[in-house]
PDB file of all heavy atoms in Angstrom:
ATOM      1  N   PRO A 507       1.497  18.936 -60.551  1.00 95.00           N
ATOM      2  CA  PRO A 507       1.847  18.868 -59.126  1.00 95.00           C
ATOM      3  C   PRO A 507       2.268  17.476 -58.695  1.00 95.00           C
ATOM      4  O   PRO A 507       1.708  16.470 -59.144  1.00 95.00           O
ATOM      5  CB  PRO A 507       0.536  19.279 -58.434  1.00 95.00           C
ATOM      6  CG  PRO A 507      -0.527  18.842 -59.387  1.00 95.00           C
ATOM      7  CD  PRO A 507       0.035  19.043 -60.764  1.00 95.00           C
ATOM      8  N   LYS A 508       3.256  17.413 -57.826  1.00 95.00           N
ATOM      9  CA  LYS A 508       3.758  16.165 -57.268  1.00 95.00           C
ATOM     10  C   LYS A 508       3.895  16.328 -55.748  1.00 95.00           C
ATOM     11  O   LYS A 508       4.550  17.263 -55.284  1.00 95.00           O
ATOM     12  CB  LYS A 508       5.134  15.818 -57.850  1.00 95.00           C
ATOM     13  CG  LYS A 508       5.257  15.962 -59.356  1.00 95.00           C
ATOM     14  CD  LYS A 508       4.748  14.759 -60.103  1.00 95.00           C
ATOM     15  CE  LYS A 508       5.017  14.890 -61.602  1.00 95.00           C
ATOM     16  NZ  LYS A 508       4.604  13.687 -62.358  1.00 95.00           N
ATOM     17  N   ILE A 509       3.288  15.439 -55.006  1.00 93.00           N
ATOM     18  CA  ILE A 509       3.361  15.504 -53.544  1.00 93.00           C
ATOM     19  C   ILE A 509       4.660  14.862 -53.074  1.00 93.00           C
ATOM     20  O   ILE A 509       5.000  13.752 -53.472  1.00 93.00           O
ATOM     21  CB  ILE A 509       2.156  14.791 -52.910  1.00 93.00           C
ATOM     22  CG1 ILE A 509       0.869  15.538 -53.262  1.00 93.00           C
ATOM     23  CG2 ILE A 509       2.300  14.701 -51.396  1.00 93.00           C
ATOM     24  CD1 ILE A 509      -0.391  14.869 -52.761  1.00 93.00           C
ATOM     25  N   SER A 510       5.380  15.576 -52.225  1.00 90.00           N
ATOM     26  CA  SER A 510       6.632  15.048 -51.667  1.00 90.00           C
ATOM     27  C   SER A 510       6.449  14.729 -50.186  1.00 90.00           C
ATOM     28  O   SER A 510       5.413  15.036 -49.599  1.00 90.00           O
ATOM     29  CB  SER A 510       7.762  16.065 -51.842  1.00 90.00           C
ATOM     30  OG  SER A 510       7.526  17.225 -51.053  1.00 90.00           O
ATOM     31  N   ASP A 511       7.453  14.125 -49.607  1.00 86.00           N
ATOM     32  CA  ASP A 511       7.502  13.811 -48.166  1.00 86.00           C
ATOM     33  C   ASP A 511       6.457  12.784 -47.730  1.00 86.00           C
ATOM     34  O   ASP A 511       6.269  12.573 -46.532  1.00 86.00           O
ATOM     35  CB  ASP A 511       7.324  15.074 -47.311  1.00 86.00           C
ATOM     36  CG  ASP A 511       8.547  15.969 -47.357  1.00 86.00           C
ATOM     37  OD1 ASP A 511       9.506  15.618 -48.061  1.00 86.00           O
ATOM     38  OD2 ASP A 511       8.546  17.025 -46.716  1.00 86.00           O
ATOM     39  N   PHE A 512       5.765  12.141 -48.673  1.00 86.00           N
ATOM     40  CA  PHE A 512       4.800  11.118 -48.277  1.00 86.00           C
ATOM     41  C   PHE A 512       5.544   9.943 -47.623  1.00 86.00           C
ATOM     42  O   PHE A 512       6.585   9.506 -48.085  1.00 86.00           O
ATOM     43  CB  PHE A 512       3.978  10.631 -49.477  1.00 86.00           C
ATOM     44  CG  PHE A 512       4.808  10.078 -50.611  1.00 86.00           C
ATOM     45  CD1 PHE A 512       5.156   8.744 -50.656  1.00 86.00           C
ATOM     46  CD2 PHE A 512       5.240  10.911 -51.631  1.00 86.00           C
ATOM     47  CE1 PHE A 512       5.927   8.246 -51.698  1.00 86.00           C
ATOM     48  CE2 PHE A 512       6.017  10.421 -52.677  1.00 86.00           C
ATOM     49  CZ  PHE A 512       6.363   9.087 -52.711  1.00 86.00           C
ATOM     50  N   GLY A 513       5.009   9.461 -46.521  1.00 81.00           N
ATOM     51  CA  GLY A 513       5.616   8.336 -45.816  1.00 81.00           C
ATOM     52  C   GLY A 513       6.766   8.697 -44.910  1.00 81.00           C
ATOM     53  O   GLY A 513       7.202   7.874 -44.105  1.00 81.00           O
ATOM     54  N   LEU A 514       7.270   9.932 -44.989  1.00 79.00           N
ATOM     55  CA  LEU A 514       8.441  10.294 -44.193  1.00 79.00           C
ATOM     56  C   LEU A 514       8.096  10.549 -42.733  1.00 79.00           C
ATOM     57  O   LEU A 514       8.972  10.499 -41.877  1.00 79.00           O
ATOM     58  CB  LEU A 514       9.135  11.526 -44.771  1.00 79.00           C
ATOM     59  CG  LEU A 514       9.755  11.355 -46.165  1.00 79.00           C
ATOM     60  CD1 LEU A 514      10.615  12.560 -46.501  1.00 79.00           C
ATOM     61  CD2 LEU A 514      10.579  10.081 -46.256  1.00 79.00           C
ATOM     62  N   ALA A 515       6.832  10.847 -42.440  1.00 70.00           N
ATOM     63  CA  ALA A 515       6.442  11.085 -41.052  1.00 70.00           C
ATOM     64  C   ALA A 515       6.745   9.870 -40.188  1.00 70.00           C
ATOM     65  O   ALA A 515       7.057   9.982 -39.008  1.00 70.00           O
ATOM     66  CB  ALA A 515       4.959  11.441 -40.972  1.00 70.00           C
ATOM     67  N   ARG A 516       6.682   8.681 -40.788  1.00 67.00           N
ATOM     68  CA  ARG A 516       6.964   7.445 -40.034  1.00 67.00           C
ATOM     69  C   ARG A 516       8.444   7.335 -39.687  1.00 67.00           C
ATOM     70  O   ARG A 516       8.825   6.600 -38.773  1.00 67.00           O
ATOM     71  CB  ARG A 516       6.535   6.225 -40.847  1.00 67.00           C
ATOM     72  CG  ARG A 516       5.033   6.081 -40.978  1.00 67.00           C
ATOM     73  CD  ARG A 516       4.684   4.971 -41.956  1.00 67.00           C
ATOM     74  NE  ARG A 516       5.278   3.708 -41.569  1.00 67.00           N
ATOM     75  CZ  ARG A 516       4.737   2.840 -40.695  1.00 67.00           C
ATOM     76  NH1 ARG A 516       3.585   3.144 -40.135  1.00 67.00           N
ATOM     77  NH2 ARG A 516       5.337   1.709 -40.407  1.00 67.00           N
ATOM     78  N   LEU A 517       9.285   8.070 -40.429  1.00 66.00           N
ATOM     79  CA  LEU A 517      10.723   8.027 -40.154  1.00 66.00           C
ATOM     80  C   LEU A 517      11.154   9.093 -39.159  1.00 66.00           C
ATOM     81  O   LEU A 517      12.292   9.096 -38.712  1.00 66.00           O
ATOM     82  CB  LEU A 517      11.511   8.204 -41.451  1.00 66.00           C
ATOM     83  CG  LEU A 517      11.422   7.038 -42.438  1.00 66.00           C
ATOM     84  CD1 LEU A 517      12.063   7.415 -43.750  1.00 66.00           C
ATOM     85  CD2 LEU A 517      12.059   5.784 -41.860  1.00 66.00           C
ATOM     86  N   MET A 518      10.251  10.011 -38.842  1.00 61.00           N
ATOM     87  CA  MET A 518      10.563  11.007 -37.827  1.00 61.00           C
ATOM     88  C   MET A 518      10.245  10.431 -36.457  1.00 61.00           C
ATOM     89  O   MET A 518       9.694   9.343 -36.319  1.00 61.00           O
ATOM     90  CB  MET A 518       9.733  12.278 -38.062  1.00 61.00           C
ATOM     91  CG  MET A 518       9.991  12.937 -39.412  1.00 61.00           C
ATOM     92  SD  MET A 518      11.687  13.502 -39.639  1.00 61.00           S
ATOM     93  CE  MET A 518      12.369  12.209 -40.676  1.00 61.00           C
ATOM     94  N   ASN A 519      10.589  11.167 -35.410  1.00 51.00           N
ATOM     95  CA  ASN A 519      10.239  10.724 -34.061  1.00 51.00           C
ATOM     96  C   ASN A 519       8.725  10.674 -33.937  1.00 51.00           C
ATOM     97  O   ASN A 519       8.019  11.481 -34.540  1.00 51.00           O
ATOM     98  CB  ASN A 519      10.828  11.675 -33.032  1.00 51.00           C
ATOM     99  CG  ASN A 519      12.345  11.664 -33.089  1.00 51.00           C
ATOM    100  OD1 ASN A 519      12.953  10.667 -33.477  1.00 51.00           O
ATOM    101  ND2 ASN A 519      12.957  12.773 -32.733  1.00 51.00           N
ATOM    102  N   PRO A 520       8.166   9.716 -33.171  1.00 44.00           N
ATOM    103  CA  PRO A 520       6.724   9.475 -33.129  1.00 44.00           C
ATOM    104  C   PRO A 520       5.928  10.745 -32.889  1.00 44.00           C
ATOM    105  O   PRO A 520       6.270  11.569 -32.065  1.00 44.00           O
ATOM    106  CB  PRO A 520       6.573   8.502 -31.958  1.00 44.00           C
ATOM    107  CG  PRO A 520       7.884   7.811 -31.877  1.00 44.00           C
ATOM    108  CD  PRO A 520       8.907   8.832 -32.266  1.00 44.00           C
ATOM    109  N   LEU A 521       4.796  10.857 -33.627  1.00 39.00           N
ATOM    110  CA  LEU A 521       3.974  12.059 -33.559  1.00 39.00           C
ATOM    111  C   LEU A 521       2.782  11.910 -32.625  1.00 39.00           C
ATOM    112  O   LEU A 521       2.201  12.898 -32.217  1.00 39.00           O
ATOM    113  CB  LEU A 521       3.444  12.400 -34.954  1.00 39.00           C
ATOM    114  CG  LEU A 521       4.490  12.836 -35.980  1.00 39.00           C
ATOM    115  CD1 LEU A 521       3.823  13.032 -37.317  1.00 39.00           C
ATOM    116  CD2 LEU A 521       5.165  14.103 -35.551  1.00 39.00           C
ATOM    117  N   ASP A 522       2.393  10.688 -32.341  1.00 34.00           N
ATOM    118  CA  ASP A 522       1.100  10.526 -31.682  1.00 34.00           C
ATOM    119  C   ASP A 522       1.161   9.612 -30.462  1.00 34.00           C
ATOM    120  O   ASP A 522       0.188   8.982 -30.105  1.00 34.00           O
ATOM    121  CB  ASP A 522       0.074   9.973 -32.677  1.00 34.00           C
ATOM    122  CG  ASP A 522       0.585   8.756 -33.430  1.00 34.00           C
ATOM    123  OD1 ASP A 522       1.610   8.198 -32.992  1.00 34.00           O
ATOM    124  OD2 ASP A 522      -0.032   8.379 -34.425  1.00 34.00           O
ATOM    125  N   THR A 523       2.297   9.539 -29.795  1.00 33.00           N
ATOM    126  CA  THR A 523       2.394   8.626 -28.670  1.00 33.00           C
ATOM    127  C   THR A 523       2.597   9.313 -27.335  1.00 33.00           C
ATOM    128  O   THR A 523       2.152   8.819 -26.315  1.00 33.00           O
ATOM    129  CB  THR A 523       3.566   7.639 -28.884  1.00 33.00           C
ATOM    130  OG1 THR A 523       4.750   8.377 -29.158  1.00 33.00           O
ATOM    131  CG2 THR A 523       3.278   6.710 -30.046  1.00 33.00           C
ATOM    132  N   HIS A 524       3.272  10.473 -27.315  1.00 33.00           N
ATOM    133  CA  HIS A 524       3.573  11.119 -26.041  1.00 33.00           C
ATOM    134  C   HIS A 524       3.189  12.594 -26.069  1.00 33.00           C
ATOM    135  O   HIS A 524       3.298  13.259 -27.088  1.00 33.00           O
ATOM    136  CB  HIS A 524       5.072  11.005 -25.706  1.00 33.00           C
ATOM    137  CG  HIS A 524       5.532   9.593 -25.570  1.00 33.00           C
ATOM    138  ND1 HIS A 524       5.120   8.768 -24.567  1.00 33.00           N
ATOM    139  CD2 HIS A 524       6.365   8.856 -26.342  1.00 33.00           C
ATOM    140  CE1 HIS A 524       5.693   7.583 -24.702  1.00 33.00           C
ATOM    141  NE2 HIS A 524       6.449   7.613 -25.779  1.00 33.00           N
ATOM    142  N   LEU A 525       2.800  13.101 -24.943  1.00 32.00           N
ATOM    143  CA  LEU A 525       2.473  14.526 -24.842  1.00 32.00           C
ATOM    144  C   LEU A 525       3.711  15.372 -25.082  1.00 32.00           C
ATOM    145  O   LEU A 525       3.606  16.517 -25.509  1.00 32.00           O
ATOM    146  CB  LEU A 525       1.880  14.827 -23.467  1.00 32.00           C
ATOM    147  CG  LEU A 525       1.247  16.204 -23.281  1.00 32.00           C
ATOM    148  CD1 LEU A 525       0.136  16.417 -24.313  1.00 32.00           C
ATOM    149  CD2 LEU A 525       0.703  16.364 -21.883  1.00 32.00           C
ATOM    150  N   SER A 526       4.886  14.791 -24.851  1.00 31.00           N
ATOM    151  CA  SER A 526       6.113  15.554 -25.073  1.00 31.00           C
ATOM    152  C   SER A 526       6.276  15.946 -26.530  1.00 31.00           C
ATOM    153  O   SER A 526       7.000  16.879 -26.851  1.00 31.00           O
ATOM    154  CB  SER A 526       7.335  14.730 -24.648  1.00 31.00           C
ATOM    155  OG  SER A 526       7.428  13.546 -25.410  1.00 31.00           O
ATOM    156  N   THR A 527       5.594  15.243 -27.440  1.00 32.00           N
ATOM    157  CA  THR A 527       5.631  15.617 -28.850  1.00 32.00           C
ATOM    158  C   THR A 527       5.154  17.036 -29.032  1.00 32.00           C
ATOM    159  O   THR A 527       5.733  17.825 -29.770  1.00 32.00           O
ATOM    160  CB  THR A 527       4.730  14.660 -29.666  1.00 32.00           C
ATOM    161  OG1 THR A 527       5.185  13.333 -29.479  1.00 32.00           O
ATOM    162  CG2 THR A 527       4.757  15.002 -31.141  1.00 32.00           C
ATOM    163  N   PHE A 528       4.061  17.386 -28.325  1.00 35.00           N
ATOM    164  CA  PHE A 528       3.534  18.745 -28.452  1.00 35.00           C
ATOM    165  C   PHE A 528       4.499  19.753 -27.843  1.00 35.00           C
ATOM    166  O   PHE A 528       4.720  20.821 -28.389  1.00 35.00           O
ATOM    167  CB  PHE A 528       2.173  18.850 -27.763  1.00 35.00           C
ATOM    168  CG  PHE A 528       1.634  20.251 -27.761  1.00 35.00           C
ATOM    169  CD1 PHE A 528       1.232  20.849 -28.933  1.00 35.00           C
ATOM    170  CD2 PHE A 528       1.566  20.978 -26.577  1.00 35.00           C
ATOM    171  CE1 PHE A 528       0.742  22.137 -28.931  1.00 35.00           C
ATOM    172  CE2 PHE A 528       1.084  22.268 -26.575  1.00 35.00           C
ATOM    173  CZ  PHE A 528       0.675  22.845 -27.755  1.00 35.00           C
ATOM    174  N   VAL A 529       5.100  19.378 -26.705  1.00 33.00           N
ATOM    175  CA  VAL A 529       6.039  20.289 -26.050  1.00 33.00           C
ATOM    176  C   VAL A 529       7.206  20.593 -26.972  1.00 33.00           C
ATOM    177  O   VAL A 529       7.693  21.710 -27.052  1.00 33.00           O
ATOM    178  CB  VAL A 529       6.546  19.674 -24.728  1.00 33.00           C
ATOM    179  CG1 VAL A 529       7.611  20.548 -24.108  1.00 33.00           C
ATOM    180  CG2 VAL A 529       5.384  19.491 -23.762  1.00 33.00           C
ATOM    181  N   ASN A 530       7.651  19.583 -27.752  1.00 33.00           N
ATOM    182  CA  ASN A 530       8.783  19.786 -28.641  1.00 33.00           C
ATOM    183  C   ASN A 530       8.384  20.397 -29.972  1.00 33.00           C
ATOM    184  O   ASN A 530       9.224  20.630 -30.829  1.00 33.00           O
ATOM    185  CB  ASN A 530       9.491  18.448 -28.896  1.00 33.00           C
ATOM    186  CG  ASN A 530      10.220  17.966 -27.672  1.00 33.00           C
ATOM    187  OD1 ASN A 530      10.734  18.764 -26.907  1.00 33.00           O
ATOM    188  ND2 ASN A 530      10.245  16.665 -27.460  1.00 33.00           N
ATOM    189  N   GLY A 531       7.098  20.636 -30.167  1.00 34.00           N
ATOM    190  CA  GLY A 531       6.666  21.374 -31.350  1.00 34.00           C
ATOM    191  C   GLY A 531       6.722  20.607 -32.652  1.00 34.00           C
ATOM    192  O   GLY A 531       6.777  21.191 -33.726  1.00 34.00           O
ATOM    193  N   GLU A 532       6.675  19.270 -32.627  1.00 35.00           N
ATOM    194  CA  GLU A 532       6.795  18.500 -33.846  1.00 35.00           C
ATOM    195  C   GLU A 532       5.401  18.130 -34.358  1.00 35.00           C
ATOM    196  O   GLU A 532       4.966  16.993 -34.302  1.00 35.00           O
ATOM    197  CB  GLU A 532       7.626  17.246 -33.601  1.00 35.00           C
ATOM    198  CG  GLU A 532       9.045  17.575 -33.165  1.00 35.00           C
ATOM    199  CD  GLU A 532       9.860  16.335 -32.908  1.00 35.00           C
ATOM    200  OE1 GLU A 532       9.349  15.234 -33.128  1.00 35.00           O
ATOM    201  OE2 GLU A 532      11.011  16.469 -32.483  1.00 35.00           O
TER     202      GLU A 532
END
Side-chain angles (χ1 to χ4, degrees):
K508 314 277 186 177
I509 295 176
S510 67
D511 288 1
F512 57 89
L514 295 190
R516 290 172 57 85
L517 291 172
M518 300 298 102
N519 297 332
L521 293 176
D522 50 14
T523 53
H524 299 293
L525 191 57
S526 61
T527 302
F528 175 69
V529 175
N530 289 326
E532 298 179 3

